[in-house]
Amino acid sequence: MVTSAEQPGLNGAATTGAEALVEQLEAYGVEYVFGLCGHTNIAFLDALGRSDIEFVVFRHEAAAAHAADGYARATGKPGVVCVHVGPGMMNAVTGVASAAMDSVPLIVIAGDVPSYYRGRHPHQEVNLHADADQASIYRPFVKRAWTVNRVQDLTRFAERAFWTATSGRPGAVLLNVPMDVFSRRVDRSAVPPLPAPGLGASLEPGVAERVARMLADAERPLIYVGGGLHGRHRAALADLVEHYDIPVAHSLMAKGTLPDDHPLVLGMPGFWGLEFTNEYARGADVVLAIGTRFAETDASSWDPRYTWRIPPTRLIQIDIDAAEVGRNYPVEIGIVADAGAALSGIAEAIRKLAPDRRQRPGLRSRIAESRSEAFDRIAAFADDVQLPLRPERILADLRAVLPEDAVLVTDVGWNKNGVAQCYNLPAAGRFITPGGSSTMGFGPAAALGVQLGWPDRTVVALVGDGGMSAQLSAIPTAAERDLPVIFVVMNNRAHGTIADLQAANYGRSYGCEFRDRDGELVSPDFAALGRACGADGYTVGAPEDLRVQLGAAVGNRRPAVIDVPMVNEPVPTPGYWNITDIYAGGFD
């Protein structure tokens, strides 16, 4: 806690902008600030160093933003990132945009050039054209960007930043602070209180009853949930679907909203989804969609031949963001409301309308058969002796060794799509992935934030060698803070998914694989790199090694890197993606 004895100014009538901001962050319950230093933010860091808030130092701003993102996903609290002017805040763009695309609350505090030099091109200013400034870089994806031109506005804007990031549809915001504002004196006043969160927008009178009637009258209803429906709403969702025997499909982001072994969970639709899920979606007469954008890959490029046929399927769409309702498909009932409040209202209405539980003959057995086929794709390779390992064998070993409440933090490729499609996630487990932007390099750094948020759980960064290479700086940070993240590197010496895509459409993989001057596939020794940074390092040299090494890493509770040679093979794609037509030139 910052004390007045340690902080000149608090005994008197004035303090600095930096000190006032730190006091505000403490009052808001901030535990960690993630970021990098620079000459524009060290006054803030100096004040932060006298508080109980920990500054988690990174070697690259994108890693800091991804870690703050992971922390926010784990805890439900907003992540806070501190970056430097110009190149610092630009380095963080990918991480901040990834959080924004997945509706994760993130507050970015960026140092800026002195307010009185703006437009004169002082050191590292971003201002070449049209008198734009660095905040303009973030405006396309943040909910709002504030530039603090007066120190008197700093804490007021910070309160607005926290409220905006966490209310309604959560997202990222930018608080842009000229460096002199941190050092200017300001009259000390009470910390602006953060408004208490409301219960969420509920349904208008009669709407729940109308939705309940549509579901009750449907022959083939389906509930489709996205990342906007959080795990805390699991009970309300289960109550609704179990009472009326309605199957549930989920987007990539919503895997685990209901347990994978729930008898009414169909799995994921779309390009990487299961064929049975796509078939059921095509034939649904009523779809209740909650907290989903109907993203392109989850909707097979919105082509009615493959996943969703809306119309003639009648769509009820619920979202906290009015802009998402009807964006990709026309709605019969569009509802702007909190997902939990809406679910509870609909469940209550359908119980009144149809008090007796309904059973749909054969539905659960068909779902169980389809899901078993998907999960068996992993189980069938549990004893496979091929080396490099097949990706299914890697996932089988993870499922066999990891604790039930382990957290898988993935990147893109087999580690994301394979897990989403055919990894039987335990009810206590968690799957965290960059859905909206599919950011390579998300997993290694986000896992650090997840581990800080859930210090007692086993956290695995399941990533490809491309993703690990994009965020190598996550390893020394894990070692320095003794974060027991296990980095499992599925190493096929390539940007494998794109290499497969190019090979399938053009007959070769040029520019997608890592080769030396002689054309041989090459890779860093990730295990040796881990050891060099102070982590444990393991190399899989035989098919049975991975299980043994995973068990050791879980038991040791130390940061560890496991380098796993893997066969490069594509993830099955039962759905459709329009890019294949583009490659084939099948359009005018």
Side-chain angles (χ1 to χ4, degrees), residues 113-123 125 127 178-180:
V113 299
S115 60
Y116 47 86
Y117 283 151
R118 184 176 181 272
R120 296 185 67 180
H121 293 184
H123 185 55
E125 183 181 27
N127 182 342
M179 64 178 292
D180 57 297

Side-chain angles (χ1 to χ4, degrees), residues 252-283:
L252 171 74
M253 289 282 295
K255 181 181 175 71
T257 304
L258 285 183
D260 270 346
D261 60 2
H262 191 285
L264 289 169
V265 171
L266 290 166
M268 188 171 63
F271 181 58
W272 289 298
L274 303 177
E275 176 51 43
F276 179 66
T277 310
N278 283 327
E279 181 271 327
Y280 198 97
R282 289 193 301 270

Side-chain angles (χ1 to χ4, degrees), residues 444-491:
L448 303 188
V450 172
Q451 189 73 80
L452 284 168
W454 285 328
D456 297 327
R457 296 176 75 166
T458 296
V459 177
V460 175
L462 182 63
V463 297
D465 51 312
M468 189 71 251
S469 297
Q471 287 298 344
L472 291 174
S473 66
I475 301 174
T477 302
E480 289 156 7
R481 298 194 63 90
D482 197 26
L483 296 174
V485 172
I486 304 170
F487 301 91
V488 177
V489 184
M490 303 172 76
N491 189 350

Side-chain angles (χ1 to χ4, degrees), residues 377 381 390-392 414 492 496 500 566-571:
R377 288 191 50 239
F381 289 94
R390 294 179 65 106
E392 296 93 342
W414 247 103
N492 54 20
D500 291 331
M566 186 185 82
V567 175
N568 190 17
E569 62 179 40
V571 180

Side-chain angles (χ1 to χ4, degrees), residues 171-250:
V173 297
L174 173 67
L175 188 65
N176 199 59
V177 187
M179 64 178 292
D180 57 297
V181 169
F182 283 133
S183 298
R184 289 184 183 274
R185 308 299 286 180
V186 64
D187 289 340
R188 187 172 184 271
S189 58
V191 171
L194 199 59
L199 298 177
S202 57
L203 301 185
E204 295 289 331
V207 173
E209 290 73 18
R210 186 180 171 196
V211 173
R213 172 58 65 187
M214 283 183 65
L215 292 173
D217 290 346
E219 290 296 321
R220 193 177 163 106
L222 173 63
I223 294 178
Y224 177 48
V225 299
L229 185 68
H230 300 289
R232 63 181 180 272
H233 303 315
R234 178 182 287 185
L237 177 62
D239 179 49
L240 173 60
V241 304
E242 290 167 6
H243 179 75
Y244 218 62
D245 220 30
I246 304 175
V248 178
H250 61 76

Side-chain angles (χ1 to χ4, degrees), residues 33 78-79 157 270 285 288 354 376 389 401 417 432 449 456 478 498 501 579:
V33 172
F157 287 178
D285 53 354
L288 171 60
D376 286 349
L389 297 182
V401 174
N417 303 321
I432 294 178
D456 297 327
I498 307 304
L501 193 62
I579 62 172

